[in-house]
Amino acid sequence: GIDLAVLYFTLRICDLTFADVLTLPPAPMLSFLVLLNGGYLSTFVAASGQTIGKMAAGTRVVRVDPAAAAHDRVSFGQAVLRAGAYVVSAAPLGLGFLPALFGERRALHDRLADTRVVKA
């Protein structure tokens, strides 16, 4: 939704319609949206372990480290790694999410960042 709002206001500022969306230079727009989404995911997970969607679902991201207490937050580095690895999970038709259905119930991005999603 936020990406669509950014696109809408960018088009408005440039006095373009949605039919003219292809006239926008793709590299700067996609780079901005990647930074916006990555920053959102990383900051929210590092600050509270929850994005807005996770708050609504009643889940949170925690560290897998057995020495960590249940309330210990994910480090910012882990949150950035998890956000970047999310692309790896989603890219090949979402196949990186399949491991969450089996075994430890952790998707590929959770395994790479050493995190897990639990009930809040």
Side-chain angles (χ1 to χ4, degrees):
I2 293 172
D3 291 350
L4 284 176
V6 167
L7 182 60
Y8 171 78
F9 287 116
T10 301
L11 290 170
R12 294 281 300 191
I13 289 169
C14 296
D15 200 28
L16 300 171
T17 65
F18 271 103
D20 301 322
V21 72
L22 295 177
T23 61
L24 293 174
M29 182 59 112
L30 290 175
S31 298
F32 177 75
L33 293 177
V34 165
L35 287 172
L36 179 70
N37 292 316
Y40 162 76
L41 289 172
S42 300
T43 303
F44 271 70
V45 168
S48 67
Q50 298 176 298
T51 59
I52 295 170
K54 286 193 181 350
M55 289 176 199
T59 59
R60 69 182 300 121
V61 178
V62 295
R63 297 188 298 168
V64 173
D65 182 13
H71 62 277
D72 282 354
R73 294 187 302 192
V74 174
S75 71
F76 188 71
Q78 275 181 301
V80 170
L81 177 61
R82 187 176 190 276
Y86 195 87
V87 175
V88 175
S89 289
L93 302 172
L95 293 176
F97 295 103
L98 285 179
L101 301 174
F102 310 103
E104 294 181 357
R105 305 195 51 86
R106 293 169 55 206
L108 182 60
H109 57 281
D110 283 316
R111 292 172 190 271
L112 291 172
D114 204 27
T115 59
R116 82 170 42 251
V117 177
V118 297
K119 291 188 183 218

